[in-house]
Amino acid sequence: MVPEADFRSYYDRAIIKPPVWKVPDVPTYLYLGGVAGVSAVMAALADASGRPLLRRVGRLAAAFGATVSVGALVHDLGRPTRFLNMLRVFKPTSPLSVGSWILAPFGTLAGATAASELTGVAPGLARLTGAGAGVLGPALTTYTAVLLADTAVPAWHEAYRELPFVFAGSALASGGAVGMLAGGEAGPARRIAVTGAVIELGATAALERRVGPVARAYRTGRAGTVLRMARAATLAGTIGTVLAGRLRRRQRLVSLVSAALLNAGSAATRYGIFEGGMASARDPEYTVVPQRQRLTDAQGAATTRDDPAPR
């Protein structure tokens, strides 16, 4: 009997160096960046369609999310100068550089728009800055997925196709849920939230089906527990959001509970993805098995090309 393979490395060290990103800084940064991006887009559309309450909620949420996410990023970096140093150059081949140049102007525009919303000063200028933040919003919701997938961390790198959709759907669900605070003007926000939740759940399921053995990092341990809770909260929030749109009584209460569930599900999804990647970086199996599989597939393809076609 041959014993089952035990994937170990010299001195029990990880094959790749796990990221030094901290909790809760980076998961908070991932989650609030998505909320801010969708809220800015929602606020710009609400402004154009004459929904002042939804516009106000969206503008304030965009500014709050951008400010706190930048604060979490700076805290993770250790010193504010490290974030400023990333703005010294623009490197299109680096997701971190591109993301820094998305986050910095977005935060500035969203902050100026929220200040005008609160003070009533320069509403015309606020419309321009709000539109600018809305243009940058979609990029803000998804660039962090590209940032994770561009690393050597197996669970993130193998999921490079689905991660942008997971993050975009998660951001739509949470941003739309925030817009549900607008009460009578929350109809568009509910549609955004439900659409995002469906995308998030579908993309997460597709991710776990396609990445093969690496999917175990998302199904076991802390990441598996958190992602199961995320799916349950997102599904419950989606059902509540649909029902809230049809209720005449207690609609406000159902909307608030559903919005809380959707945001909890979105935050848990980001944290679960983060934790799954960290677990795969620490375990040599997640690096060795995909490499061997790719090598086997390449050898099989080469053999197929070299063999003469059967007659």
Side-chain angles (χ1 to χ4, degrees):
M1 295 290 292
V2 177
E4 187 176 348
D6 181 19
F7 296 94
R8 301 171 67 90
S9 58
Y10 289 111
Y11 307 107
D12 289 329
R13 291 181 177 270
I15 294 178
I16 65 172
K17 184 177 180 180
V20 296
W21 298 335
K22 297 187 289 289
V23 177
D25 294 339
V26 173
T28 299
Y29 161 65
L30 298 176
Y31 160 65
L32 287 179
V35 174
V38 171
S39 295
V41 176
M42 183 173 61
L45 295 175
D47 187 34
S49 59
R51 293 181 171 88
L53 185 55
L54 183 58
R55 178 198 68 198
R56 184 179 182 87
V57 171
R59 286 178 172 180
L60 297 181
F64 174 81
T67 302
V68 178
S69 63
V70 169
L73 177 59
V74 169
H75 186 266
D76 182 72
L77 293 172
R79 294 196 304 268
T81 53
R82 290 178 177 172
F83 178 74
L84 297 176
N85 284 336
M86 291 191 293
L87 301 176
R88 295 175 62 185
V89 296
F90 178 73
K91 190 176 181 181
T93 57
S94 169
L96 183 59
S97 177
V98 174
S100 301
W101 279 95
I102 293 172
L103 184 58
F106 176 89
T108 303
L109 292 171
T113 306
S116 175
E117 182 70 32
L118 291 173
T119 62
V121 176
L125 181 61
R127 174 165 291 188
L128 293 177
T129 57
V135 170
L136 293 173
L140 186 67
T141 64
T142 54
Y143 92 85
T144 48
V146 180
L147 175 63
L148 297 184
D150 197 50
T151 66
V153 175
W156 296 341
H157 187 73
E158 295 292 328
Y160 72 94
R161 295 180 183 174
E162 294 84 8
L163 270 185
F165 293 97
V166 174
F167 277 36
S170 174
L172 287 168
S174 56
V178 171
M180 289 162 60
L181 299 176
E185 297 179 3
R190 283 195 292 268
R191 291 190 287 272
I192 291 172
V194 171
T195 301
V198 171
I199 294 173
E200 177 187 347
L201 293 172
T204 303
L207 183 155
E208 293 186 5
R209 284 197 305 268
R210 191 190 65 81
V211 297
V214 176
R216 190 166 67 87
Y218 294 126
R219 292 173 178 162
T220 59
R222 183 181 299 173
T225 301
V226 171
L227 286 173
R228 285 191 291 273
M229 293 172 61
R231 284 191 288 269
T234 300
L235 183 59
T238 303
I239 294 173
T241 300
V242 173
L243 292 177
R246 301 180 179 182
L247 293 176
R248 293 184 179 274
R249 300 178 60 184
R250 298 188 177 180
Q251 183 185 70
R252 182 70 170 172
L253 177 60
V254 174
S255 292
L256 291 176
V257 173
S258 301
L261 287 170
L262 288 173
N263 273 279
S266 177
T269 295
R270 305 298 178 109
Y271 175 61
I273 294 293
F274 174 83
E275 187 61 36
M278 298 295 282
S280 72
R282 291 188 292 264
D283 190 339
E285 179 178 353
Y286 293 106
T287 302
V288 174
V289 171
Q291 287 180 342
R292 289 181 176 176
Q293 185 62 48
R294 285 191 291 266
L295 180 61
T296 301
D297 293 343
Q299 290 173 342
T303 301
T304 302
R305 289 195 303 270
D306 294 340
D307 287 345
R311 296 182 180 180

